[in-house]
Amino acid sequence: MMEISEDSLFQSVKEIIRQSREKVFRIANSTLLLTYWQIGKLIIEDEQQGKERTEYGKYMLKKLSQKLTLEFGKGFDYTNLSNMRKFYTAFPIVYALRQQFSWAHYTFSHSK
């Protein structure tokens, strides 16, 4: 009788932990997507005020990347910032984002 109760308790606790982890992942993923979308939007808006877009854009992204990397560590290199820019360009309406997709899905499917 004791074994059945312990197993039932274990299964119940395990399910709570699993559901909580899934919820945390979804919230974190959604927040990350929105963050990268907002960064991409700011980059595009800043570029549109630049005089020579191509050269200015490359220079600005490199400088921004250096500063962000110093402040926050890896994850904000030139390539990632370029992907955030492309992300906003591909999905200019924030509500069009598919929250169940991860950043990797957007990055790999739209960077080709």
Side-chain angles (χ1 to χ4, degrees), residues 75-89:
F76 297 97
D77 62 16
Y78 178 83
T79 301
N80 280 345
L81 291 178
S82 294
N83 283 333
M84 291 174 204
R85 184 187 173 285
K86 290 176 191 174
F87 182 49
Y88 173 77
T89 302

Side-chain angles (χ1 to χ4, degrees), residues 39 43 57-82 84:
I39 291 170
I43 290 169
K58 286 181 183 178
Y59 172 79
M60 185 274 307
L61 279 184
K62 286 179 183 176
K63 294 303 282 182
L64 182 60
S65 171
Q66 291 169 354
K67 289 181 175 183
L68 290 172
T69 299
L70 282 173
E71 182 76 21
F72 298 104
K74 67 180 187 174
F76 297 97
D77 62 16
Y78 178 83
T79 301
N80 280 345
L81 291 178
S82 294
M84 291 174 204

Side-chain angles (χ1 to χ4, degrees), residues 6-52:
E6 285 178 21
D7 189 53
S8 177
L9 177 62
F10 170 75
Q11 293 300 326
S12 296
V13 170
K14 184 174 102 173
E15 183 61 21
I16 290 169
I17 293 169
R18 189 189 63 72
Q19 288 176 4
S20 295
R21 285 182 175 175
E22 283 180 18
K23 187 175 184 179
V24 167
F25 173 78
R26 283 192 309 272
I27 291 168
N29 184 62
S30 177
T31 302
L32 187 64
L33 287 177
L34 182 57
T35 298
Y36 289 169
W37 183 88
Q38 289 172 324
I39 291 170
K41 181 178 189 239
L42 288 173
I43 290 169
I44 292 291
E45 288 173 350
D46 187 71
E47 283 179 351
Q48 289 174 349
Q49 296 175 12
K51 295 176 182 91
E52 296 179 28

Side-chain angles (χ1 to χ4, degrees), residues 85-99:
R85 184 187 173 285
K86 290 176 191 174
F87 182 49
Y88 173 77
T89 302
F91 299 94
I93 300 170
V94 73
Y95 302 109
L97 299 180
R98 306 261 328 253
Q99 301 292 327

